[in-house]
């Protein structure tokens, strides 16, 4: 339980909404900024403004998944303005207050460093990345069904990378009945790929393994689906690139060859915001409890 | 090989296109009616009109999946008019000519009976129904991802019916990580459900098994998802009804309770016309070869 | 609950023991014949002799899984003599008493017919055969591990028959990471085999599909693993024949070619007597309750 | 290909035999010591004595999986004496010669260090440990079937550790239809356990998760299955401890409580020596080729 915890939630999308609900359920007190258009009443959550939050008493501040832009503005799906995270505001926070974000870029990182505040970019954590791989892969499955005229079952799928997302991709496409080959570079990954019943190949040999591929799914954030690879692919095949922008695919060349290639960022928030919010809420709770201990009079 | 076979293809959609390609690949000669707008040239296929087909020489006539309407008209996706299957035309066919359709209704059934022609409603065949269950289920998966804000993984799924489609539904949702309960009425089905790792229950007790359900998928073509069942379901849950029209769900009551319920007919043609066409082409070839033997001078 | 039910249990093995426990748990009264050497005391179960049972009051008689031999003797694992089921004894039973056995042969079938008693050969039931397929396959897995020097994982397994046992065999060997081909003869079975991710072939073509086979598992009770098949197999391969005696394998020729071939009857009682007993107990209870209704004063 | 490679194989068991075959197939020249009783003739392999090997020309020496004992003796399954690896012999080797063993202890480690020779303890490699997890788990499955009277299917299995062996254990018991809970201590492991469909728990809470357990499988080489855990277990349950000696179980207390607990070392060599040998042969070849490059005149 998060009884007596006070938390600011500044902007966000449907995932934040789920975070808010979960934390309120756990008895925390929440101050919401940028949620004017949210109709629902959530007991324990107070809609307010940046300047009206009891800044000095907050145990945590939760930012939207993408963090701030380079001027500190925070995207807010439930409002038509964007709250801003300024140096002045941040410096009113208690030193023990934790700032949660999905990812972070310079402005936010610097701000927290200067203000000597702990910043937790949740998406850097292995556990979050693994939990998130589940909605990511369901989004990928949805796209593979939507954008092809054949079934995943009995199709030839090549997946690239066997990290936190790649393992889940391979597992689920196999479960759907595809013949799955997985490209990786570590010997231990190749061994696990074999053990799990996929066909392993060294990612350096990628261009030799795509000739019969119907669906290519990339999770490697490096330009590995290059001209040499794409020219070996069948015209009816499709490339779904999950790696963070700009992906690992030569999209220009794919287009020229007439092969559909899609960069698909942000799938969890898109296909399963409730689950994606639950994942974040549960890790946030756990971190708060570990760091600050359970409170309340029980 | 279907060398020397002559086949008429009258109307249809993307599935027909795939059938045409497959049969031409197998060296048959095809007469296409209702394909004016098809740009592609397919060697072996001749675009023509009802009256110009060498009716008396045809080995088979392939109709669109839904067969004819009650006046004999045939839906044609690649044309802006609908060819008509008339008694006069049909009676010019050789008695050994086979008529293939997906499903059949009175007009078509009667026509063939009167004319003493063999009619093969492909969707009545167990093998076709089982092959078709694959794209059907992928369509269902797509809908379950699209129409919910949570993941299939770790959700509670109840599936109804353990026939040709139901078995595949249960298998795939389990493979995606759902907790799957299956309702059926035969003891042997309940035993197989248990063996395959699902939780079996007798379909008569359905209303006792939906309280924790997030996704309900029906394949039983009888009104079993009734008021009593729906009132026990959670408001965030979703019903996907695959049974042929009008489905097995009380849609009116579901709407009233605010539970999303979707009747989802014709999924194979929608999500995987190529695979759906391949399935039909392969069964058609097999039937023709079995009945008429391989021909050609080789 | 089986309150007020009176049941005779005549001979049997570890499975009977489990049946006894389950039925006593369900509050039935049991008369055990041929259990002298059973040390355990089971409340509700009375050790006695054929002649001391209140024959006329019995609701059911449970025989050992193999039934009687051709003179009516019943195998008894927990005794050093075999009780005999005689015409005289049987005719003292009430006409509504049900006789349960696993399988039946002439003597028993005739006896019940003459005496106008309902005989239930449990192993003929589809549900029992399906439940039993689970321990059967675990026994098969155990043998495949024990009798080969390679792993099931990544081996080539051919299974024959896709009935109640065959489906489970194929599923489990695939789950263990084998490449599984399944031979069957019905089009609908071939379709389901494909849908479940196995490689289907027509069982008539068996001899063409064994060349790379490492483990061949037969469930077809007909001589199909014949000379032509065996001569195409690799010397290191193994045949496990589950079909009831004499199996479907030419054991003589396998031996001559130096290929290990094993007839493996009665696996459930061997590897999982507790589970095998539970299966029977649960079906027996269900039949008794359906036929005779729940009793007792509650 | 290993053309022109010269390799000494000193003692070993059935795994060595498979290594010998594979390396000979790859065209290496092998000197076998301690294989007098091996009847088979393997082209490319020469049976000899320690003193007759062309020591100075060897590219590699392959020891038995357990390495040497503390006096340098090497176990030899195909001989009735044990070759000895002495300092004198080792020092005659070329500095570029690689020594392969499964595991190593002081004597062997020191010997190679003193002699400035590269020692490769294969079982320390992640890839070998993962490949080996496959036969290890099949051995575990065999034991779970043999030593219980119930099926793995539908039983409650608790597995401990989610490392190289633990992942495979959990996967396979789930595939066989068990309800699998996995105990681990890293957040990322708990996330992956959840993603793969097992029920995760923190290993510190082990004693709270064994009450319904039927089969407990340990891979953690620490005393975690202690009195507190064992006293919460059911009497019919079984503990299979895979961790290297002395395992992680309080065997004394398990015995006292009447719970069967088995320490099961060395399963790969026991249940699948051919596969286990193949794994080693393939990693040895790969290391030799990487280090020394392909040779031969082609
Ligand atoms: N589209 C979405 O909705 C979505 C959702 C989640 C994640 N993502 C993105 O997906 C990508 C993967 O995420 P992740 O969590 O799976 O990361 P990860 O665990 O770090 O996995 C990355 C994989 O790529 C491999 N890799 C990295 N650089 C490589 C190179 N130069 N050559 C070959 N292989 C290389 C890694 O291999 P090694 O282990 O050998 O380095 C690893 O297998 C990231 O860009 C992430 O932002 C997108
Ligand atoms: N939406 C789509 O795209 C799509 C695609 C394919 C099929 N379908 C439709 O899906 C439905 C199922 O097709 P199928 O091929 O799976 O049919 P099927 O093999 O006949 O299976 C029907 C199942 O429903 C059960 N059932 C029938 N009547 C019942 C009743 N009164 N009470 C309880 N259970 C009952 C059957 O049980 P018993 O075996 O005990 O009778 C069986 O388990 C059909 O309406 C079909 O047209 C739709
Ligand atoms: N070893 C053990 O411990 C154990 C345990 C259980 C069962 N069994 C034995 O295993 C066998 C199979 O049992 P089951 O319950 O699976 O029976 P089942 O459901 O009747 O299945 C038998 C299979 O064999 C096929 N088949 C029968 N005759 C054939 C023929 N002449 N040619 C080709 N295929 C043929 C059937 O195909 P169709 O459907 O096309 O006829 C079906 O696929 C029986 O002999 C049974 O006694 C042994
Ligand atoms: N019986 C056989 O035939 C056979 C075959 C292969 C291996 N083995 C043995 O099996 C054991 C496991 O091998 P492996 O290759 O899987 O090793 P591994 O990859 O290192 O895995 C060990 C697991 O144990 C966990 N662990 C270690 N110390 C722990 C502690 N104090 N508390 C809680 N968890 C702890 C590790 O967690 P962290 O990652 O958090 O450290 C990891 O999950 C070894 O003893 C090995 O020798 C036996």
């Amino acid at each position: 339980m998060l009884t007596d915890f006070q938390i600011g939630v500044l902007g966000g999308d449907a995932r934040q909404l789920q975070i808010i609900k979960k934390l309120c359920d756990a008895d925390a007190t929440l101050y919401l900024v940028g949620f004017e258009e949210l109709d629902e009443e959530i007991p324990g959550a107070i809609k307010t403004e940046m300047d009206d939050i009891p800044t000095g008493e907050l145990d945590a501040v939760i930012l939207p998944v993408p963090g701030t832009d380079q001027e500190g503005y925070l995207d807010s799906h439930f409002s038509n303005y964007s709250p801003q995270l300024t140096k002045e505001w941040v410096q009113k926070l208690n030193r023990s207050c934790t700032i949660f974000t999905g990812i972070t870029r310079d402005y936010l990182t610097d701000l927290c460093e200067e203000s000597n505040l702990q910043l937790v970019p949740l998406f850097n954590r292995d556990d979050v990345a693994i939990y998130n791989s589940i909605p990511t892969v369901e989004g990928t499955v949805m796209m593979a069904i939507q954008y092809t005229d054949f079934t995943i079952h009995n199709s030839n799928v090549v997946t690239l990378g066997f990290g936190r997302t790649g393992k889940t991709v391979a597992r689920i496409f196999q479960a759907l009945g595809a013949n799955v080959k997985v490209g990786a570079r570590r010997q231990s990954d190749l061994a696990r790929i074999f053990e799990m019943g996929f066909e392993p190949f060294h990612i350096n040999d990628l261009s030799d393994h795509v000739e019969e591929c119907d669906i290519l799914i990339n999770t490697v954030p490096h330009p590995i689906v290059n001209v040499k690879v794409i020219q070996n692919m069948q015209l009816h095949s499709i490339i779904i690139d999950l790696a963070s922008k700009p992906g690992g695919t030569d999209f220009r060349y794919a287009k020229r060859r007439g092969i559909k290639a899609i960069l698909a960022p942000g799938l969890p928030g898109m296909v399963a915001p409730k689950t994606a919010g639950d994942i974040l809420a549960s890790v946030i709770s756990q971190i708060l409890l570990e760091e600050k201990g359970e409170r309340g009079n029980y």
Side-chain angles (χ1 to χ4, degrees), chain A:
Chain A
M1 297 295 285
L2 293 170
T3 310
D4 291 350
F5 277 81
Q6 305 203 43
I7 302 171
V9 180
L10 316 180
D13 56 20
R15 285 172 282 187
Q16 249 66 24
L17 190 57
Q18 189 65 12
I19 295 176
I20 293 167
K21 285 179 185 167
K22 284 272 157 170
L23 297 182
C24 286
D25 276 1
D27 205 23
T29 301
L30 266 62
Y31 301 94
L32 316 184
V33 179
F35 286 85
E36 294 76 42
E37 294 174 6
L38 178 65
D39 288 333
E40 225 173 314
E41 273 304 320
I42 303 169
I46 301 151
K47 289 183 203 166
T48 179
E49 302 297 325
M50 289 302 279
D51 294 339
D52 299 340
I53 296 191
T55 337
E57 292 167 27
L58 294 184
D59 296 292
V61 169
I62 301 176
L63 306 181
V65 164
T68 73
D69 71 8
Q70 291 302 47
E71 293 175 328
Y73 286 103
L74 300 154
D75 230 39
S76 193
H77 184 82
F78 298 97
S79 170
N80 44 29
Y81 84 102
S82 295
Q84 193 186 9
L85 198 70
T86 61
K87 195 164 170 178
E88 295 69 52
W89 194 89
V90 163
Q91 291 189 333
K92 284 185 278 176
L93 295 168
N94 200 309
R95 279 337 66 172
S96 69
C97 177
T98 309
I99 316 289
F100 292 98
T101 182
I103 59 174
T104 183
R105 281 178 299 167
D106 292 356
Y107 179 91
L108 179 59
T109 312
D110 294 350
L111 196 66
C112 293
E113 237 172 67
E114 285 170 34
S115 317
N116 220 353
L117 284 166
Q118 194 202 353
L119 175 69
V120 179
L122 291 160
F123 282 22
N124 283 2
R125 288 173 58 105
D126 277 349
D127 55 354
V128 172
I130 293 170
Y131 288 121
N132 255 332
S133 73
I134 301 169
T136 301
V137 172
E138 296 200 0
T140 312
V141 165
M142 190 184 77
M143 297 179 70
I145 297 174
Q146 253 170 349
Y147 290 118
T148 62
D149 56 3
F150 50 85
T151 54
I152 294 175
H153 182 272
N154 203 37
S155 69
N156 295 319
V157 171
V158 172
T159 70
L160 305 178
F162 203 61
R164 299 165 306 183
T165 307
K167 282 191 184 69
T168 311
V169 174
R171 237 174 52 67
I172 290 300
F173 278 80
Q174 184 189 55
L176 288 166
N179 311 311
V180 178
K181 282 189 180 189
V182 184
R185 58 181 177 183
R186 302 190 198 208
Q187 291 302 328
S188 58
D189 281 345
L190 296 171
R192 182 61 69 191
I193 290 165
F194 173 75
E195 183 272 317
M196 291 178 77
F198 315 116
E199 193 183 324
F201 66 89
H202 196 288
I203 208 160
N204 289 348
D205 305 330
L206 174 55
S207 59
D208 301 339
H209 286 89
V210 295
E211 275 169 34
E212 309 210 309
C213 173
D214 299 304
I215 304 175
L216 178 73
I217 301 169
N218 178 49
T219 73
V220 176
H222 279 264
I224 60 170
V225 186
N226 52 29
V227 170
K228 203 174 150 211
V229 172
I230 296 172
Q231 71 192 359
N232 281 357
M233 294 181 69
Q234 304 179 91
L235 285 182
H236 76 255
S237 64
I238 182 176
I239 300 169
I240 304 179
D241 198 332
L242 301 178
S244 56
K245 277 179 202 157
T249 304
D250 187 333
F251 288 96
R252 193 200 52 82
Y253 184 70
K255 191 167 183 183
R256 193 165 136 191
R257 262 217 77 201
I259 288 181
K260 194 176 315 181
I262 305 169
L263 186 63
L267 292 173
M270 213 174 294
V271 298
K274 189 156 166 283
T275 303
D278 280 345
I279 292 168
L280 298 175
S282 117
V283 175
I284 290 171
S285 302
Q286 184 195 310
I287 292 177
L288 288 178
L289 290 173
E290 268 170 22
E291 283 183 1
K292 306 186 182 168
E294 203 129 348
R295 303 180 194 162
N297 46 357
Y298 52 97

